[in-house]
PDB file of all heavy atoms in Angstrom:
ATOM      1  N   LEU Y   1       0.828  -1.202   0.000  1.00  0.00           N
ATOM      2  CA  LEU Y   1       0.000   0.000   0.000  1.00  0.00           C
ATOM      3  C   LEU Y   1       0.862   1.250   0.000  1.00  0.00           C
ATOM      4  O   LEU Y   1       0.642   2.195  -0.766  1.00  0.00           O
ATOM      5  CB  LEU Y   1      -0.919  -0.008   1.227  1.00  0.00           C
ATOM      6  CG  LEU Y   1      -1.740   1.272   1.473  1.00  0.00           C
ATOM      7  CD1 LEU Y   1      -2.695   1.527   0.308  1.00  0.00           C
ATOM      8  CD2 LEU Y   1      -2.508   1.178   2.779  1.00  0.00           C
ATOM      9  N   ILE Y   2       1.897   1.245   0.853  1.00  0.00           N
ATOM     10  CA  ILE Y   2       2.768   2.407   0.935  1.00  0.00           C
ATOM     11  C   ILE Y   2       3.536   2.601  -0.361  1.00  0.00           C
ATOM     12  O   ILE Y   2       3.663   3.715  -0.882  1.00  0.00           O
ATOM     13  CB  ILE Y   2       3.731   2.272   2.123  1.00  0.00           C
ATOM     14  CG1 ILE Y   2       2.935   2.216   3.440  1.00  0.00           C
ATOM     15  CG2 ILE Y   2       4.730   3.412   2.159  1.00  0.00           C
ATOM     16  CD1 ILE Y   2       3.772   1.886   4.648  1.00  0.00           C
ATOM     17  N   ILE Y   3       4.055   1.519  -0.934  1.00  0.00           N
ATOM     18  CA  ILE Y   3       4.795   1.618  -2.189  1.00  0.00           C
ATOM     19  C   ILE Y   3       3.912   2.190  -3.283  1.00  0.00           C
ATOM     20  O   ILE Y   3       4.326   3.039  -4.077  1.00  0.00           O
ATOM     21  CB  ILE Y   3       5.348   0.243  -2.592  1.00  0.00           C
ATOM     22  CG1 ILE Y   3       6.477  -0.161  -1.631  1.00  0.00           C
ATOM     23  CG2 ILE Y   3       5.866   0.258  -4.022  1.00  0.00           C
ATOM     24  CD1 ILE Y   3       6.926  -1.606  -1.788  1.00  0.00           C
ATOM     25  N   SER Y   4       2.650   1.750  -3.336  1.00  0.00           N
ATOM     26  CA  SER Y   4       1.710   2.292  -4.335  1.00  0.00           C
ATOM     27  C   SER Y   4       1.559   3.785  -4.166  1.00  0.00           C
ATOM     28  O   SER Y   4       1.540   4.552  -5.137  1.00  0.00           O
ATOM     29  CB  SER Y   4       0.352   1.605  -4.200  1.00  0.00           C
ATOM     30  OG  SER Y   4      -0.591   2.198  -5.059  1.00  0.00           O
ATOM     31  N   THR Y   5       1.475   4.237  -2.905  1.00  0.00           N
ATOM     32  CA  THR Y   5       1.349   5.667  -2.641  1.00  0.00           C
ATOM     33  C   THR Y   5       2.602   6.405  -3.087  1.00  0.00           C
ATOM     34  O   THR Y   5       2.534   7.477  -3.686  1.00  0.00           O
ATOM     35  CB  THR Y   5       1.106   5.909  -1.145  1.00  0.00           C
ATOM     36  OG1 THR Y   5      -0.009   5.132  -0.727  1.00  0.00           O
ATOM     37  CG2 THR Y   5       0.843   7.372  -0.854  1.00  0.00           C
ATOM     38  N   VAL Y   6       3.780   5.842  -2.794  1.00  0.00           N
ATOM     39  CA  VAL Y   6       5.029   6.493  -3.171  1.00  0.00           C
ATOM     40  C   VAL Y   6       5.137   6.637  -4.677  1.00  0.00           C
ATOM     41  O   VAL Y   6       5.519   7.682  -5.198  1.00  0.00           O
ATOM     42  CB  VAL Y   6       6.232   5.689  -2.620  1.00  0.00           C
ATOM     43  CG1 VAL Y   6       7.532   6.229  -3.186  1.00  0.00           C
ATOM     44  CG2 VAL Y   6       6.263   5.745  -1.098  1.00  0.00           C
ATOM     45  N   VAL Y   7       4.762   5.593  -5.399  1.00  0.00           N
ATOM     46  CA  VAL Y   7       4.849   5.632  -6.856  1.00  0.00           C
ATOM     47  C   VAL Y   7       4.009   6.758  -7.426  1.00  0.00           C
ATOM     48  O   VAL Y   7       4.404   7.470  -8.340  1.00  0.00           O
ATOM     49  CB  VAL Y   7       4.423   4.269  -7.447  1.00  0.00           C
ATOM     50  CG1 VAL Y   7       4.239   4.372  -8.951  1.00  0.00           C
ATOM     51  CG2 VAL Y   7       5.467   3.208  -7.126  1.00  0.00           C
ATOM     52  N   GLN Y   8       2.817   6.968  -6.858  1.00  0.00           N
ATOM     53  CA  GLN Y   8       1.914   7.962  -7.410  1.00  0.00           C
ATOM     54  C   GLN Y   8       2.208   9.364  -6.900  1.00  0.00           C
ATOM     55  O   GLN Y   8       1.710  10.322  -7.457  1.00  0.00           O
ATOM     56  CB  GLN Y   8       0.458   7.590  -7.059  1.00  0.00           C
ATOM     57  CG  GLN Y   8       0.007   6.258  -7.648  1.00  0.00           C
ATOM     58  CD  GLN Y   8       0.030   6.253  -9.158  1.00  0.00           C
ATOM     59  OE1 GLN Y   8       0.151   7.285  -9.791  1.00  0.00           O
ATOM     60  NE2 GLN Y   8      -0.067   5.074  -9.747  1.00  0.00           N
ATOM     61  N   GLY Y   9       2.981   9.516  -5.830  1.00  0.00           N
ATOM     62  CA  GLY Y   9       3.306  10.837  -5.332  1.00  0.00           C
ATOM     63  C   GLY Y   9       2.325  11.303  -4.269  1.00  0.00           C
ATOM     64  O   GLY Y   9       1.494  10.559  -3.780  1.00  0.00           O
ATOM     65  N   TYR Y  10       2.455  12.583  -3.916  1.00  0.00           N
ATOM     66  CA  TYR Y  10       1.649  13.157  -2.851  1.00  0.00           C
ATOM     67  C   TYR Y  10       0.310  13.678  -3.377  1.00  0.00           C
ATOM     68  O   TYR Y  10       0.122  13.933  -4.545  1.00  0.00           O
ATOM     69  CB  TYR Y  10       2.376  14.358  -2.235  1.00  0.00           C
ATOM     70  CG  TYR Y  10       3.693  14.053  -1.581  1.00  0.00           C
ATOM     71  CD1 TYR Y  10       4.893  14.339  -2.221  1.00  0.00           C
ATOM     72  CD2 TYR Y  10       3.735  13.515  -0.304  1.00  0.00           C
ATOM     73  CE1 TYR Y  10       6.105  14.107  -1.604  1.00  0.00           C
ATOM     74  CE2 TYR Y  10       4.945  13.269   0.324  1.00  0.00           C
ATOM     75  CZ  TYR Y  10       6.126  13.572  -0.327  1.00  0.00           C
ATOM     76  OH  TYR Y  10       7.325  13.343   0.286  1.00  0.00           O
ATOM     77  N   GLY Y  11      -0.616  13.882  -2.433  1.00  0.00           N
ATOM     78  CA  GLY Y  11      -1.710  14.817  -2.624  1.00  0.00           C
ATOM     79  C   GLY Y  11      -2.957  14.337  -3.302  1.00  0.00           C
ATOM     80  O   GLY Y  11      -3.956  15.036  -3.287  1.00  0.00           O
ATOM     81  N   ILE Y  12      -2.990  13.175  -3.926  1.00  0.00           N
ATOM     82  CA  ILE Y  12      -4.209  12.680  -4.568  1.00  0.00           C
ATOM     83  C   ILE Y  12      -4.574  11.374  -3.887  1.00  0.00           C
ATOM     84  O   ILE Y  12      -3.876  10.367  -4.041  1.00  0.00           O
ATOM     85  CB  ILE Y  12      -4.010  12.463  -6.076  1.00  0.00           C
ATOM     86  CG1 ILE Y  12      -3.544  13.748  -6.743  1.00  0.00           C
ATOM     87  CG2 ILE Y  12      -5.293  11.981  -6.708  1.00  0.00           C
ATOM     88  CD1 ILE Y  12      -4.541  14.884  -6.701  1.00  0.00           C
ATOM     89  N   ASN Y  13      -5.653  11.389  -3.129  1.00  0.00           N
ATOM     90  CA  ASN Y  13      -5.998  10.245  -2.302  1.00  0.00           C
ATOM     91  C   ASN Y  13      -7.380   9.710  -2.665  1.00  0.00           C
ATOM     92  O   ASN Y  13      -8.193  10.379  -3.300  1.00  0.00           O
ATOM     93  CB  ASN Y  13      -5.985  10.662  -0.824  1.00  0.00           C
ATOM     94  CG  ASN Y  13      -4.663  11.284  -0.412  1.00  0.00           C
ATOM     95  OD1 ASN Y  13      -3.645  10.613  -0.413  1.00  0.00           O
ATOM     96  ND2 ASN Y  13      -4.673  12.569  -0.094  1.00  0.00           N
ATOM     97  N   ASP Y  14      -7.649   8.503  -2.226  1.00  0.00           N
ATOM     98  CA  ASP Y  14      -8.958   7.859  -2.372  1.00  0.00           C
ATOM     99  C   ASP Y  14      -9.361   7.678  -3.831  1.00  0.00           C
ATOM    100  O   ASP Y  14     -10.515   7.897  -4.202  1.00  0.00           O
ATOM    101  CB  ASP Y  14     -10.044   8.664  -1.632  1.00  0.00           C
ATOM    102  CG  ASP Y  14      -9.965   8.447  -0.128  1.00  0.00           C
ATOM    103  OD1 ASP Y  14      -8.976   7.845   0.317  1.00  0.00           O
ATOM    104  OD2 ASP Y  14     -10.881   8.869   0.594  1.00  0.00           O
ATOM    105  N   LEU Y  15      -8.425   7.281  -4.675  1.00  0.00           N
ATOM    106  CA  LEU Y  15      -8.750   7.073  -6.079  1.00  0.00           C
ATOM    107  C   LEU Y  15      -9.070   5.614  -6.381  1.00  0.00           C
ATOM    108  O   LEU Y  15      -9.059   5.205  -7.539  1.00  0.00           O
ATOM    109  CB  LEU Y  15      -7.589   7.566  -6.958  1.00  0.00           C
ATOM    110  CG  LEU Y  15      -7.346   9.078  -6.901  1.00  0.00           C
ATOM    111  CD1 LEU Y  15      -6.323   9.499  -7.934  1.00  0.00           C
ATOM    112  CD2 LEU Y  15      -8.631   9.879  -7.085  1.00  0.00           C
ATOM    113  N   ASP Y  16      -9.382   4.855  -5.344  1.00  0.00           N
ATOM    114  CA  ASP Y  16      -9.817   3.478  -5.563  1.00  0.00           C
ATOM    115  C   ASP Y  16     -11.336   3.362  -5.579  1.00  0.00           C
ATOM    116  O   ASP Y  16     -11.887   2.274  -5.647  1.00  0.00           O
ATOM    117  CB  ASP Y  16      -9.245   2.567  -4.478  1.00  0.00           C
ATOM    118  CG  ASP Y  16      -9.617   3.017  -3.068  1.00  0.00           C
ATOM    119  OD1 ASP Y  16     -10.134   4.148  -2.930  1.00  0.00           O
ATOM    120  OD2 ASP Y  16      -9.383   2.258  -2.113  1.00  0.00           O
ATOM    121  N   ASN Y  17     -12.039   4.497  -5.547  1.00  0.00           N
ATOM    122  CA  ASN Y  17     -13.496   4.474  -5.601  1.00  0.00           C
ATOM    123  C   ASN Y  17     -13.948   4.040  -6.986  1.00  0.00           C
ATOM    124  O   ASN Y  17     -13.410   4.515  -8.001  1.00  0.00           O
ATOM    125  CB  ASN Y  17     -14.053   5.861  -5.262  1.00  0.00           C
ATOM    126  CG  ASN Y  17     -15.542   5.843  -4.997  1.00  0.00           C
ATOM    127  OD1 ASN Y  17     -16.340   5.647  -5.909  1.00  0.00           O
ATOM    128  ND2 ASN Y  17     -15.923   6.054  -3.747  1.00  0.00           N
ATOM    129  N   PRO Y  18     -14.935   3.143  -7.095  1.00  0.00           N
ATOM    130  CA  PRO Y  18     -15.376   2.677  -8.421  1.00  0.00           C
ATOM    131  C   PRO Y  18     -15.945   3.774  -9.303  1.00  0.00           C
ATOM    132  O   PRO Y  18     -16.059   3.587 -10.517  1.00  0.00           O
ATOM    133  CB  PRO Y  18     -16.436   1.623  -8.082  1.00  0.00           C
ATOM    134  CG  PRO Y  18     -16.867   1.922  -6.686  1.00  0.00           C
ATOM    135  CD  PRO Y  18     -15.654   2.471  -5.998  1.00  0.00           C
ATOM    136  N   CYS Y  19     -16.278   4.919  -8.717  1.00  0.00           N
ATOM    137  CA  CYS Y  19     -16.819   6.014  -9.533  1.00  0.00           C
ATOM    138  C   CYS Y  19     -15.748   6.695 -10.376  1.00  0.00           C
ATOM    139  O   CYS Y  19     -16.075   7.439 -11.306  1.00  0.00           O
ATOM    140  CB  CYS Y  19     -17.516   7.035  -8.649  1.00  0.00           C
ATOM    141  SG  CYS Y  19     -19.106   6.458  -8.012  1.00  0.00           S
ATOM    142  N   LEU Y  20     -14.477   6.463 -10.062  1.00  0.00           N
ATOM    143  CA  LEU Y  20     -13.402   6.941 -10.937  1.00  0.00           C
ATOM    144  C   LEU Y  20     -13.288   5.949 -12.086  1.00  0.00           C
ATOM    145  O   LEU Y  20     -12.721   4.865 -11.944  1.00  0.00           O
ATOM    146  CB  LEU Y  20     -12.087   7.048 -10.175  1.00  0.00           C
ATOM    147  CG  LEU Y  20     -10.867   7.439 -11.015  1.00  0.00           C
ATOM    148  CD1 LEU Y  20     -11.090   8.752 -11.739  1.00  0.00           C
ATOM    149  CD2 LEU Y  20      -9.622   7.523 -10.143  1.00  0.00           C
ATOM    150  N   ARG Y  21     -13.818   6.333 -13.240  1.00  0.00           N
ATOM    151  CA  ARG Y  21     -13.933   5.419 -14.373  1.00  0.00           C
ATOM    152  C   ARG Y  21     -13.987   6.238 -15.644  1.00  0.00           C
ATOM    153  O   ARG Y  21     -14.066   7.478 -15.607  1.00  0.00           O
ATOM    154  CB  ARG Y  21     -15.216   4.592 -14.246  1.00  0.00           C
ATOM    155  CG  ARG Y  21     -16.492   5.443 -14.352  1.00  0.00           C
ATOM    156  CD  ARG Y  21     -17.694   4.729 -13.785  1.00  0.00           C
ATOM    157  NE  ARG Y  21     -18.969   5.376 -14.093  1.00  0.00           N
ATOM    158  CZ  ARG Y  21     -19.455   6.413 -13.424  1.00  0.00           C
ATOM    159  NH1 ARG Y  21     -18.773   6.971 -12.441  1.00  0.00           N
ATOM    160  NH2 ARG Y  21     -20.642   6.929 -13.753  1.00  0.00           N
ATOM    161  N   GLU Y  22     -13.957   5.562 -16.772  1.00  0.00           N
ATOM    162  CA  GLU Y  22     -14.166   6.255 -18.041  1.00  0.00           C
ATOM    163  C   GLU Y  22     -15.628   6.663 -18.119  1.00  0.00           C
ATOM    164  O   GLU Y  22     -16.530   5.847 -17.899  1.00  0.00           O
ATOM    165  CB  GLU Y  22     -13.810   5.353 -19.212  1.00  0.00           C
ATOM    166  CG  GLU Y  22     -13.981   6.047 -20.564  1.00  0.00           C
ATOM    167  CD  GLU Y  22     -13.643   5.133 -21.728  1.00  0.00           C
ATOM    168  OE1 GLU Y  22     -13.218   3.986 -21.477  1.00  0.00           O
ATOM    169  OE2 GLU Y  22     -13.811   5.577 -22.881  1.00  0.00           O
ATOM    170  N   CYS Y  23     -15.853   7.931 -18.436  1.00  0.00           N
ATOM    171  CA  CYS Y  23     -17.224   8.452 -18.486  1.00  0.00           C
ATOM    172  C   CYS Y  23     -17.788   8.253 -19.892  1.00  0.00           C
ATOM    173  O   CYS Y  23     -17.273   8.810 -20.867  1.00  0.00           O
ATOM    174  CB  CYS Y  23     -17.255   9.924 -18.094  1.00  0.00           C
ATOM    175  SG  CYS Y  23     -16.653  10.224 -16.411  1.00  0.00           S
ATOM    176  N   THR Y  24     -18.827   7.452 -19.983  1.00  0.00           N
ATOM    177  CA  THR Y  24     -19.386   7.087 -21.290  1.00  0.00           C
ATOM    178  C   THR Y  24     -20.774   7.660 -21.512  1.00  0.00           C
ATOM    179  O   THR Y  24     -21.349   7.461 -22.582  1.00  0.00           O
ATOM    180  CB  THR Y  24     -19.450   5.559 -21.421  1.00  0.00           C
ATOM    181  OG1 THR Y  24     -20.301   5.034 -20.393  1.00  0.00           O
ATOM    182  CG2 THR Y  24     -18.054   4.952 -21.292  1.00  0.00           C
ATOM    183  N   GLY Y  25     -21.330   8.336 -20.505  1.00  0.00           N
ATOM    184  CA  GLY Y  25     -22.692   8.828 -20.629  1.00  0.00           C
ATOM    185  C   GLY Y  25     -23.730   7.787 -20.297  1.00  0.00           C
ATOM    186  O   GLY Y  25     -24.925   7.999 -20.517  1.00  0.00           O
TER     187      GLY Y  25
END
């Protein structure tokens, strides 16, 4: 979990929500 956070950097959290997806309408 920590390594995943380090790879992505600081400041953007909680992006595992299923609502983050390709928006198709």
Side-chain angles (χ1 to χ4, degrees):
L1 173 62
I2 298 172
I3 290 170
S4 174
T5 306
V6 171
V7 169
Q8 298 298 347
Y10 298 102
I12 303 296
N13 305 295
D14 284 10
L15 294 188
D16 57 349
N17 193 290
C19 287
L20 176 57
R21 65 199 191 279
E22 181 181 357
C23 299
T24 61

